[in-house]
């Protein structure tokens, strides 16, 4: 469920392009006007605005936004104006090849996406950067974490709701034998099941594991694995069980304690706004007793705050 609120009577993409051009003219940029327009346009409308802007002013809107905006609001708006697959490709490429390599961010995006989303952004990754996603993973990741990511981006997985009960019980048993039952851990079994099986199947395995062995599969993963490998497995598992709850937890962690992790806050709100942000908001309120809007309001400021709150939609 999208949280983006689009006006009931829309101005044309051409009018929006004109208003954006006006916002850039003169001394300084009218950032409030930029936020007001772009935060209330869906992915199709944003694409049309970019086309109109280029046709009318012979310049790229993204480049102009990049030169006019600054700080957190610039990063958020530049991510927002991309289409979802291009955005994921950009985030992962930046995380794997930027000045500071952020394996956690790359892992979060890869392991929380559906197989069709992964296939789409893999194609764009190569088109945009001239390198295959697998090559960057190969170069930056290591060990079991690398094996899992490479399997996860290449193995096709079923995306429907049906599960085979016999296979569910078999996989629950295999994971128990590969982890809690033995000394040491058979990581390859975890990699195989987590990279080959559908979300519905993994969620059913998690339920079966708990009912048969009395411990949660999440706890087993935490006690049997560590580091980026553990984070990848938990991201896959929690996305399968309840992706809204998973992202609510990540958002809460980003705003907890001293200082805010603006990169994570931006990445999740911008990438989920047109997918399931309403659902994440519900889970956030249920788990933490306050609205996500209120949390963002108290942890951010200025145009950046206005932009994120616009994407979040009504405060409930």
């Amino acid at each position: 469920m999208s949280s983006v609120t689009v006006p009931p009577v829309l101005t044309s993409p051409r009018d929006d392009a004109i208003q954006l051009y006006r916002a850039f003219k003169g001394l300084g940029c009218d950032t409030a006007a930029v936020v007001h327009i772009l935060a209330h346009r869906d992915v199709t409308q944003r694409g049309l605005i970019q086309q109109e802007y280029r046709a009318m002013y012979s310049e790229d809107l993204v480049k102009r936004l990049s030169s006019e905006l600054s700080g957190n609001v610039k990063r958020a708006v530049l991510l927002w104006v991309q289409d979802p697959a291009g955005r994921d490709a950009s985030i992962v490429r930046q995380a794997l090849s930027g000045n500071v390599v952020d394996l956690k961010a790359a892992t979060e995006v890869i392991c929380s996406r559906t197989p069709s989303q992964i296939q789409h952004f893999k194609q764009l990754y190569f088109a945009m950067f001239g390198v295959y996603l697998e090559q960057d993973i190969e170069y930056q990741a290591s060990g079991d974490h690398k094996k899992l990511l490479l399997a996860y981006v290449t193995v096709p997985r079923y995306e429907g709701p049906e599960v085979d009960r016999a296979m569910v019980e078999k996989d629950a048993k295999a994971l128990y034998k590969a982890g809690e039952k033995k000394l040491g851990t058979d990581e390859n079994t975890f990699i195989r099941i987590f990279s080959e099986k559908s979300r519905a199947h993994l969620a059913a395995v998690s339920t079966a594991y708990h009912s048969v062995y009395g411990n949660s599969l999440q706890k087993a993963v935490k006690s049997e694995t560590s580091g980026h490998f553990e984070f990848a497995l938990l991201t896959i598992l929690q996305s399968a069980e309840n992706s809204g709850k998973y992202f609510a937890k990540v958002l809460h962690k980003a705003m907890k304690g001293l200082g805010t992790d603006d990169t994570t806050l931006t990445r999740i709100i911008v990438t989920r706004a047109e997918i399931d942000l309403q659902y994440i908001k519900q889970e956030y309120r249920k788990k933490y007793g306050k609205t996500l809007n209120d949390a963002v309001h108290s942890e951010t400021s200025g145009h950046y705050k206005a932009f994120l709150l616009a994407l979040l939609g009504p405060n409930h």
Side-chain angles (χ1 to χ4, degrees):
M1 281 167 65
S2 173
S3 61
V4 179
T5 52
V6 173
V9 181
L10 259 183
T11 49
S12 69
R14 183 185 172 86
D15 285 340
D16 283 340
I18 293 167
Q19 291 306 319
L20 286 168
Y21 185 73
R22 283 184 186 152
F24 301 144
K25 282 185 77 175
L27 280 170
C29 169
D30 184 353
T31 306
V34 173
V35 165
H36 183 70
I37 296 167
L38 292 176
H40 296 287
R41 301 295 182 269
D42 67 25
V43 63
T44 308
Q45 291 155 356
R46 297 193 303 274
L48 292 170
I49 292 167
Q50 288 181 68
Q51 285 175 24
E52 286 288 350
Y53 192 91
R54 182 185 285 278
M56 290 165 72
Y57 304 112
S58 302
E59 73 170 343
D60 182 54
L61 177 59
V62 175
K63 280 187 182 157
R64 189 65 194 259
L65 287 165
S66 185
S67 68
E68 295 286 347
L69 303 174
S70 61
N72 285 328
V73 74
K74 170 180 173 174
R75 280 189 286 276
V77 170
L78 290 180
L79 273 183
W80 179 242
V81 293
Q82 297 184 64
D83 68 281
R87 184 193 297 142
D88 280 349
S90 298
I91 293 169
V92 175
R93 174 67 175 167
Q94 177 67 29
L96 294 177
S97 68
N99 295 333
V100 180
V101 171
D102 187 349
L103 282 172
K104 209 168 176 184
T107 302
E108 175 211 284
V109 172
I110 291 166
C111 295
S112 63
R113 299 308 189 251
T114 64
S116 45
Q117 286 169 337
I118 291 170
Q119 289 315 308
H120 194 181
F121 94 69
K122 261 175 69 177
Q123 289 166 356
L124 279 178
Y125 198 94
F126 183 74
M128 290 163 74
F129 308 114
V131 61
Y132 290 106
L133 172 60
E134 292 89 339
Q135 290 172 293
D136 278 346
I137 292 170
E138 187 75 48
Y139 185 67
Q140 295 294 357
S142 60
D144 293 316
H145 178 233
K146 174 163 87 175
K147 277 191 217 167
L148 177 59
L149 287 187
L150 288 174
Y152 206 72
V153 301
T154 50
V155 177
R157 283 176 298 283
Y158 170 65
E159 292 189 46
E162 291 86 4
V163 294
D164 177 335
R165 302 308 312 177
M167 278 306 296
V168 165
E169 284 164 28
K170 189 179 169 193
D171 282 346
K173 190 176 183 180
L175 288 169
Y176 180 69
K177 283 167 79 174
E180 291 188 288
K181 195 183 176 189
K182 67 185 301 236
L183 267 172
T185 309
D186 171 10
E187 289 86 358
N188 287 334
T189 297
F190 278 85
I191 292 168
R192 177 181 60 79
I193 293 170
F194 276 63
S195 68
E196 291 178 4
K197 303 302 168 76
S198 74
R199 283 185 172 184
H201 181 89
L202 273 182
V205 167
S206 181
T207 305
Y209 192 97
H210 190 265
S211 66
V212 176
Y213 304 109
N215 196 6
S216 79
L217 184 52
Q218 270 193 49
K219 278 187 182 154
V221 168
K222 285 177 183 174
S223 66
E224 294 295 326
T225 61
S226 62
H228 292 305
F229 181 51
E230 176 194 348
F231 179 71
L233 290 170
L234 288 173
T235 302
I236 293 166
L237 182 58
Q238 291 172 324
S239 297
E241 291 177 324
N242 184 334
S243 63
K245 193 173 173 182
Y246 167 72
F247 283 117
K249 277 158 89 171
V250 180
L251 285 166
H252 184 254
K253 197 174 174 188
M255 293 183 278
K256 211 172 69 173
L258 277 171
T260 301
D261 177 356
D262 295 310
T263 307
T264 299
L265 193 60
T266 302
R267 180 177 67 249
I268 293 172
I269 290 176
V270 169
T271 59
R272 307 313 292 185
E274 291 180 285
I275 300 172
D276 56 1
L277 195 50
Q278 286 289 32
Y279 181 41
I280 294 166
K281 282 165 67 177
Q282 288 166 17
E283 291 292 333
Y284 192 95
R285 185 168 196 162
K286 202 190 303 180
K287 191 164 175 60
Y288 303 110
K290 71 187 285 191
T291 67
L292 181 54
N293 295 55
D294 286 346
V296 168
H297 190 276
S298 61
E299 293 295 330
T300 56
S301 60
H303 295 301
Y304 176 56
K305 176 200 283 192
F307 186 71
L308 293 187
L309 289 175
L311 295 191
L312 282 165
N315 188 6
H316 52 65

